[in-house]
Amino acid sequence: MTIGHGEHPHHAAPCLDPLAALRRPADPACDVYLTGSVFLDIIFTGLDSAPVRGTESWARGMGSSPGGVANMATALARLGLRTSLAAAFGDDHYGEYCWDALEHGEGIDLSLSRTVPGWHSPVTVSMAYEDERTMVSHGHEAPPPAPECPPPARAAIASLTPGRDEWIAQAAREGTRVFADVGWDESGRWDPDDLADLEHCEAFLPNAEEAMRYTRTDCPRAAAQALTERVPLAVVTLGAEGAYAVDGATGESAQVPAIAVEALDPTGAGDVFVAGFVTGTLAGWPLADRLAFAGLTAALSVQEFGGSLSAPGWSEIAAWWQYVQGCDDQDPTALRRYAFLEALLPAPTRPWPLRRAVPTIGFGRSV
């Protein structure tokens, strides 16, 4: 199944609450809590080739947005989840811009975040060309952004690091459902002890390479099975092959193929996948539907440049669903995999294609 790339700058606030039927007066105000580093992402697009030393390259488009942990926070908020982010922000213009974009632009609760006097915001410059990307980052170590006590929340998303993050255990003790991902191990050790906090988590969502390296296996499915010895639910993303999940408690497994897309920039796609999976889990959907929805939101995101800029909301998902049902070249079997969306989606307000990116990214499909 293929999806076209949009032309028109557009972003709408969430128009659907996926947890509306489940909400009760005594529920915590926060659906999802997360913490980490916020970067200012500057994205140059429309480069014909990689920059060459000693020359000046001109890009046909550019944009800027909050990056780092802001990618996932934005993806969650656009899917209608009440999102709380604890992060450090610099007291420079970059920090002010990121704070405003997240709090006012996306409706993310930053009451647990803080501005740090004298500390400048970390910055990443991303250059997209020939279906690849090159990134250059600069920053200084941030003060710990996480509060001593995480807030009451339905769920929390943790990025596992060597050692123990005390807030993860505390959140789990308070009844918060903890979902974990992990970054690339630059040390090359891939020490399974670095995953110690999985004992407090409900689900772990690594990519295939990460899963195999940590479990010392040579097959992503075998890696997922091995991970269920550490965590109840293992979800392994398989790139172009989709995703595979195993529920160690019930023995249920599911695999959903990826959607074929014209991928322009994969930045933040993993974060969008996690956000989609968490949304479906909190809403109580079946495992296969959660995988399909997470894969769909990630597929929609890679058709746009930038991380948080590209995260889709319900309007984009509804427009896509209406569009693909009217395409003669769509496989009916593949479409049935997403039939569960029919009862969930709002009526599309505008036809597909839509753009999620802000207007500063200024070129369309022909580039």
Side-chain angles (χ1 to χ4, degrees), residues 15-343:
C15 55
L16 183 151
D17 179 358
L19 307 184
L22 303 175
R23 297 195 184 279
R24 301 293 182 268
D27 288 344
C30 173
D31 291 329
V32 185
Y33 165 78
L34 64 166
T35 182
S37 298
V38 173
F39 285 69
L40 172 68
D41 282 355
I42 300 173
I43 308 102
F44 289 100
T45 64
L47 291 164
D48 294 321
S49 61
V52 177
R53 183 173 63 180
T55 67
E56 181 180 13
S57 298
W58 280 82
R60 289 188 289 272
M62 65 85 63
S64 59
S65 66
V69 72
N71 292 337
M72 191 175 296
T74 299
L76 291 162
R78 290 187 181 180
L79 290 176
L81 296 185
R82 300 168 184 174
T83 304
S84 175
L85 171 63
F89 289 79
D91 64 348
D92 49 18
H93 290 307
Y94 296 161
E96 293 175 1
Y97 162 73
C98 289
W99 186 294
D100 182 72
L102 294 173
E103 184 176 55
H104 300 293
E106 304 294 346
I108 295 168
D109 175 19
L110 298 181
S111 60
L112 297 175
S113 294
R114 61 193 180 105
T115 297
V116 181
W119 179 72
H120 76 73
S121 304
V123 176
T124 292
V125 175
S126 176
M127 292 161 280
Y129 55 89
E130 298 174 350
D131 297 327
E132 297 288 347
R133 58 179 173 143
T134 296
M135 295 186 291
V136 179
S137 297
H138 172 72
H140 300 285
E141 185 175 356
E148 294 182 2
C149 299
R154 294 174 185 267
I157 301 175
S159 183
L160 301 185
T161 57
R164 293 275 188 170
D165 282 327
E166 292 302 322
W167 76 264
I168 296 176
Q170 184 167 352
R173 285 193 297 268
E174 296 297 323
T176 297
R177 305 168 69 176
V178 183
F179 299 76
D181 66 1
V182 70
W184 186 259
D185 186 355
E186 298 290 350
S187 73
R189 295 182 304 113
W190 300 98
D191 186 349
D193 289 342
D194 292 345
L195 305 180
D197 277 324
L198 282 181
E199 67 176 302
H200 307 298
C201 299
E202 174 177 323
F204 183 40
L205 299 95
N207 64 36
E209 191 67 24
E210 293 160 350
M212 290 188 293
R213 287 177 181 264
Y214 275 118
T215 58
R216 311 303 196 256
T217 58
D218 58 4
C219 169
R221 292 160 189 80
Q225 294 285 350
L227 286 169
T228 59
E229 298 177 6
R230 290 177 167 269
V231 67
L233 180 61
V235 181
V236 177
T237 56
L238 308 174
E241 296 182 37
Y244 177 76
V246 180
D247 188 327
T250 65
E252 181 185 7
S253 65
Q255 181 169 350
V256 175
I259 297 174
V261 297
E262 179 188 355
L264 296 182
D265 185 357
T267 303
D271 296 325
V272 173
F273 182 95
V274 173
F277 189 84
V278 170
T279 299
T281 301
L282 294 183
W285 300 350
L287 181 58
D289 288 355
R290 286 180 268 164
L291 283 183
F293 183 73
L296 170 60
T297 55
L300 295 178
S301 78
V302 301
Q303 297 174 97
E304 302 288 342
F305 287 105
S308 62
L309 290 177
S310 66
W314 290 106
S315 293
E316 290 80 20
I317 297 167
W320 169 81
W321 179 238
Q322 182 184 62
Y323 168 76
V324 295
Q325 291 182 91
C327 292
D328 295 334
D329 60 347
Q330 298 300 322
D331 179 358
T333 302
L335 281 182
R336 281 197 295 272
R337 171 61 269 171
Y338 299 91
F340 70 95
L341 293 171
E342 191 67 48

